[in-house]
Amino acid sequence: MRNLILISLTVVLASCSMLQSVKPVQVKTIAERSPIYHPPLPYPMSLSSVDWEVMTPTTMQEYLDNLEAGNAPKRAFYSLSSKEYENLSMDMAEITRYTKDILSIIKYYRELDQREVNQVESN
């Protein structure tokens, strides 16, 4: 008898859970791109002015005379041939081009990210 009461009590209690309706689970998938890394802009170049002096035979002789008299400035002189100067000029143009290209790439990615942020904010 005791077993019969236990079994019936178990069936009664288990049937209570069957009376409730099960709500379906809603799954929402939100596809968001991760933010793009934007490296910081490079520090601006701080170039110093350079005092270029062209040495001709006359100015070189004046320098040598001043050097013997002890009045010559204590600085080194560098000379470049025309081809070397052209190479230096082309190198500087290449540095300028490279810098502009890098800055334009960084600007593109920043604008791209800003557009995505504006789209998310408007939604």
Side-chain angles (χ1 to χ4, degrees), residues 4 18 39 52 56 59 68 108 116:
L4 183 60
M18 292 181 181
W52 290 90
T56 62
T59 57
E68 288 177 8
Y108 167 77
E116 289 177 2

Side-chain angles (χ1 to χ4, degrees), residues 77-121:
F77 287 94
Y78 296 95
S79 64
L80 298 172
S81 67
S82 296
K83 182 64 177 167
E84 290 170 336
Y85 181 76
E86 182 181 336
N87 290 344
L88 177 65
S89 175
M90 295 299 284
D91 289 345
M92 292 306 294
E94 183 67 15
I95 290 170
T96 303
R97 181 208 55 82
Y98 179 78
T99 304
K100 286 181 181 178
D101 288 350
I102 291 296
L103 290 176
S104 67
I105 290 169
I106 292 171
K107 181 181 175 185
Y108 167 77
Y109 281 115
R110 286 189 178 200
E111 288 175 354
L112 179 69
D113 193 41
Q114 187 62 38
R115 276 187 260 137
E116 289 177 2
V117 167
N118 291 342
Q119 286 177 353
V120 169
E121 289 176 356

Side-chain angles (χ1 to χ4, degrees), residues 14-81:
S15 65
C16 290
S17 65
M18 292 181 181
L19 297 177
Q20 298 175 356
S21 63
V22 177
K23 295 180 182 177
V25 176
Q26 294 181 347
V27 177
K28 291 184 179 180
T29 304
I30 300 173
E32 289 186 11
R33 291 180 51 195
S34 60
I36 299 172
Y37 170 72
H38 298 294
L41 291 174
Y43 291 112
M45 287 190 254
S46 60
L47 303 176
S48 303
S49 62
V50 178
D51 184 22
W52 290 90
E53 184 175 334
V54 179
M55 297 302 286
T56 62
T58 306
T59 57
M60 188 63 185
Q61 188 58 47
E62 289 175 13
Y63 175 76
L64 292 174
D65 292 339
N66 288 335
L67 183 63
E68 288 177 8
N71 299 330
K74 294 186 171 41
R75 63 180 183 182
F77 287 94
Y78 296 95
S79 64
L80 298 172
S81 67

